Amino acid sequence: MSNKHIGKHIQKLREAADMSQDQLAEKIGKSKSLVSFVENKGKVSDKTLDLIAKALNVPFDNLKVYPIIDLDSQKQNQDQYKFRIAELERETELLRSIIDKQEKIIELMELNLKLRKP
């Protein structure tokens, strides 16, 4: 991961934790300007990165190795999945209704056949 991506990754994780730069700076015992610098430039020592990882409650390697998490895309995907699930639930209800009506038709046809037999 490039330095800039590390910074953006830290920013996304901080925002996901609903934490301001000031709050993160306070938790790691550093200045807000350092947090801003890290997020914008991605330049950070392993010692500071470890402090940030602990403050954000994520594994150190998560900040060092994993790709940037696009939380907006994840939210959009979740919304799309929820919408699709709702569509499928409506379709399922419609199919259940059709099956119920078909079963009633079959019952009536069977009854009709019984009544016709001598």
Side-chain angles (χ1 to χ4, degrees), residues 14 17 22 24 33 35 39 46 48 53 58 62 64-65 67-68 76 78 82 86 90-91 100 102 113 116:
R14 176 184 58 76
D22 285 320
L24 179 58
S33 61
V35 172
E39 289 182 357
D46 281 353
T48 301
V58 296
N62 185 296
K64 197 80 168 156
V65 177
I68 190 163
Q76 186 177 8
Q78 287 176 346
K82 287 177 183 177
R90 285 190 297 272
E91 289 175 18
D100 288 344
Q102 292 297 320
L113 282 174
R116 287 187 177 186

Side-chain angles (χ1 to χ4, degrees), residues 50-74:
D50 187 50
L51 292 171
I52 291 170
K54 287 176 182 168
L56 295 174
N57 199 28
V58 296
F60 174 81
D61 288 341
N62 185 296
L63 297 182
K64 197 80 168 156
V65 177
Y66 288 99
I68 190 163
I69 297 171
D70 186 349
L71 297 175
D72 293 333
S73 291
Q74 286 182 346

Side-chain angles (χ1 to χ4, degrees), residues 2-11 21 24 28 30-45 48-49 52 63:
S2 74
N3 285 346
K4 192 154 186 130
H5 284 137
I6 289 172
K8 291 300 171 193
H9 188 52
I10 290 168
Q11 180 183 4
Q21 286 184 342
L24 179 58
I28 65 172
K30 305 287 182 181
S31 67
K32 177 186 175 185
S33 61
L34 176 79
V35 172
S36 177
F37 177 80
V38 167
E39 289 182 357
N40 290 312
K41 301 294 182 186
K43 295 181 182 178
V44 59
S45 70
T48 301
L49 194 60
I52 291 170
L63 297 182

